[in-house]
Amino acid sequence: MKKIQMVDLKGQYQHIKEQVDASVLDVIESTAYINGPEVHDFQKELEEYLGVTHVIPCANGTDALQIAMMGLGLKPGDEVITADFTFAATVEVIALLGLTPVLVDVDPITFNIDIEAIKKAITPKTRAIVPVHLFGLAAQMDEIMDIAKANDLYVIEDNAQGIGGTYTTRDMAKPKTGTIGHVASTSFFPSKNLGCYGDGGAIFTNDDELAHIIRGIVNHGMYERYHHDVVGVNSRLDSIQAAVLRAKLPHLNEYNTKRRNAARKYTAAFSGIENIITPTGFCDAGNSICDVCDCHVFHQYTLRITNGKRDDLVKHLNANDIPCGVYYPIPLHLQNAYKDDRYKESDFPVTNQLVKEVISLPMHTELDDEQIDFITKTVIDFVTN
Ligand SMILES: *Cc1c(COP(=O)(O)O)cnc(C)c1O
């Protein structure tokens, strides 16, 4: 059996090596390392793939979130609601801009931001909601857009883990995640579903005016050369990364299908096993289960281990040379940087439970049946003994 990896970037590279090597070498030869034609071409190709009017590439997914918030003109004191159970980047940029993060609990089935908790958290100072499509499953965007409309709020989708996924609306449309809110961010960190070979990110929007504002912000606030109209940042996707992404984008659907197939095999093996809750997500429309449709892109395949032995399972898997991850072990509201007197522990029953139960299994495009069998048997042996 091939050695099991949490993410197999090398195996994936082998399939596209010729093309990646050739286009990266072309960029080196061209010397157009910054803002070269590869960046523009990638932007156009990603706009077409997503069905969104504007993609603005930038340096990483954290910058993308920050720039989206700057573009919307959010000001210190504005409250921004986001999930307690996510990667820290989401809350970090809110705090960094002097905005007030308002963390709320998540749903135990989807792991995504809880709709009732959003409603309860709205105050006259609330200006935006940041749903995270956690682990590759879309948040409940119909409900979130309804709340935003009723309360005049912006919606910023953190699509770092969801690229290529869709959301089924109540009208049974299937827009891609990241094209539904006012603006969205994504990351091309190597291990993301569409990863480059370094850092990269992008902002998406269908709003022409916002896109224009953001294109200036990523470039030192310049709309005309050497005229700095707003305080901006320097945040660019470089041409070599764009060349890698152009080679990978045509494979994104196939990559996500491979992830879903691996997820289906995991779920089939774990079905009926006590103390394991497999990840299912529900499309809003008709409550069809996402693991039989094409919404979920399984950035992570995350189980809940309900017998209190999650940490022992981590050790057991590691002892069997099976890598795994705990995303995320500490709720954001308990992190030193983001503690706030306004929070009560009783506001976060789900997150507080999930951090003790979740474990993410190897998930990537190169998993084979032998590896999946070994992983599932090792997990099941442990939990049933
Ligand atoms: C990875 C990630 C980010 C940050 O992306 P970087 O490119 O590493 O800056 C933001 N939000 C979420 C949910 C992520 O998973």
Side-chain angles (χ1 to χ4, degrees):
M1 188 175 65
K2 277 190 302 178
K3 186 175 159 52
I4 299 172
Q5 321 250 12
M6 193 66 187
V7 177
D8 187 358
L9 294 176
K10 184 134 191 195
Q12 191 186 61
Y13 167 61
Q14 296 306 327
H15 300 295
I16 51 170
K17 178 174 164 42
E18 255 174 55
Q19 211 207 324
V20 169
D21 291 3
S23 39
V24 166
L25 271 177
D26 279 350
V27 174
I28 296 174
E29 294 279 351
S30 79
T31 73
Y33 306 133
I34 299 290
N35 289 334
E38 294 287 342
V39 179
H40 184 258
D41 290 347
F42 171 64
Q43 172 199 319
K44 291 289 160 205
E45 287 158 7
L46 188 57
E47 284 167 358
E48 184 158 330
Y49 173 83
L50 293 168
V52 75
T53 323
H54 303 280
V55 165
I56 301 119
C58 66
N60 58 68
T62 309
D63 275 9
L65 269 170
Q66 177 185 329
I67 293 159
M69 289 177 202
M70 290 169 78
L72 291 171
L74 301 184
K75 296 276 179 309
D78 289 349
E79 293 181 0
V80 180
I81 297 173
T82 194
D84 191 34
F85 188 62
T86 174
F87 182 56
T90 322
V91 65
E92 178 178 53
V93 298
I94 299 172
L96 196 64
L97 290 173
L99 315 174
T100 306
V102 178
L103 296 166
V104 301
D105 210 6
V106 297
D107 178 90
I109 296 165
T110 63
F111 304 144
N112 278 324
I113 194 163
D114 183 85
I115 299 301
E116 293 310 313
I118 296 176
K119 289 183 186 162
K120 266 177 53 189
I122 291 175
T123 75
K125 289 187 178 168
T126 308
R127 298 280 284 138
I129 307 168
V130 186
V132 182
H133 304 308
L134 199 74
F135 303 150
L137 176 67
Q140 286 168 268
M141 292 306 294
D142 278 338
E143 286 80 354
I144 292 168
M145 296 311 289
D146 287 348
I147 296 172
K149 199 162 180 195
N151 295 278
D152 200 14
L153 309 176
Y154 293 118
V155 174
I156 304 157
E157 293 173 73
D158 182 343
N159 198 30
Q161 302 187 4
I163 198 159
T166 57
Y167 171 73
T168 307
T169 68
R170 47 172 91 92
D171 306 330
M172 298 305 283
K174 279 184 168 278
K176 288 263 192 312
T177 54
T179 68
I180 304 160
H182 298 90
V183 60
S185 61
T186 201
S187 164
F188 305 121
F189 186 80
S191 63
K192 302 282 156 105
N193 290 36
L194 178 63
C196 58
Y197 294 171
D199 273 311
I203 302 138
F204 320 147
T205 185
N206 286 310
D207 180 330
D208 296 344
E209 196 181 321
L210 180 59
H212 173 74
I213 293 170
I214 287 174
R215 286 209 176 87
I217 291 174
V218 297
N219 189 25
H220 302 292
M222 272 197 285
Y223 296 90
E224 197 184 325
R225 208 171 170 117
Y226 300 122
H227 293 255
H228 303 275
D229 292 329
V230 295
V231 178
V233 295
N234 167 25
S235 188
R236 296 183 283 237
L237 180 72
D238 70 67
S239 306
I240 289 180
Q241 299 311 331
V244 172
L245 290 164
R246 286 193 73 203
K248 289 181 74 171
L249 181 58
H251 299 284
L252 180 57
N253 284 348
E254 161 208 328
Y255 289 162
N256 284 337
T257 300
K258 285 182 172 172
R259 287 172 176 274
R260 269 194 297 274
N261 287 344
R264 246 177 232 135
K265 287 173 190 164
Y266 277 141
T267 293
F270 294 132
S271 88
I273 305 287
E274 240 182 297
N275 301 321
I276 296 183
I277 300 177
T278 54
T280 50
F282 293 90
C283 293
D284 277 2
N287 278 353
S288 52
I289 295 172
C290 270
D291 59 15
V292 296
C293 73
D294 62 355
C295 297
H296 203 318
V297 292
F298 287 98
H299 176 62
Q300 299 293 347
Y301 182 89
T302 303
L303 298 175
R304 291 174 58 191
I305 303 298
T306 56
N307 61 356
K309 296 195 172 155
R310 190 271 316 272
D311 291 338
D312 295 328
L313 175 60
V314 170
K315 285 186 204 134
H316 181 72
L317 293 180
N318 289 336
N320 283 279
D321 272 333
I322 299 173
C324 59
V326 172
Y327 310 116
Y328 296 91
I330 304 170
L332 290 176
H333 79 273
L334 294 179
Q335 297 285 358
N336 287 333
Y338 306 113
K339 281 182 183 158
D340 189 317
D341 289 342
R342 80 166 83 189
Y343 300 138
K344 300 190 296 288
E345 281 316 298
S346 57
D347 294 335
F348 305 101
V350 177
T351 303
N352 285 340
Q353 184 78 18
L354 289 178
V355 295
K356 292 184 220 144
E357 293 182 349
V358 290
I359 180 168
S360 299
L361 299 182
M363 175 49 75
H364 54 78
T365 56
E366 313 303 313
L367 280 169
D368 63 35
D369 285 354
E370 191 185 11
Q371 293 176 314
I372 292 174
D373 276 351
F374 181 67
I375 296 165
T376 54
K377 287 208 174 89
T378 309
V379 171
I380 292 168
D381 266 358
F382 179 82
V383 264
T384 54
N385 277 308

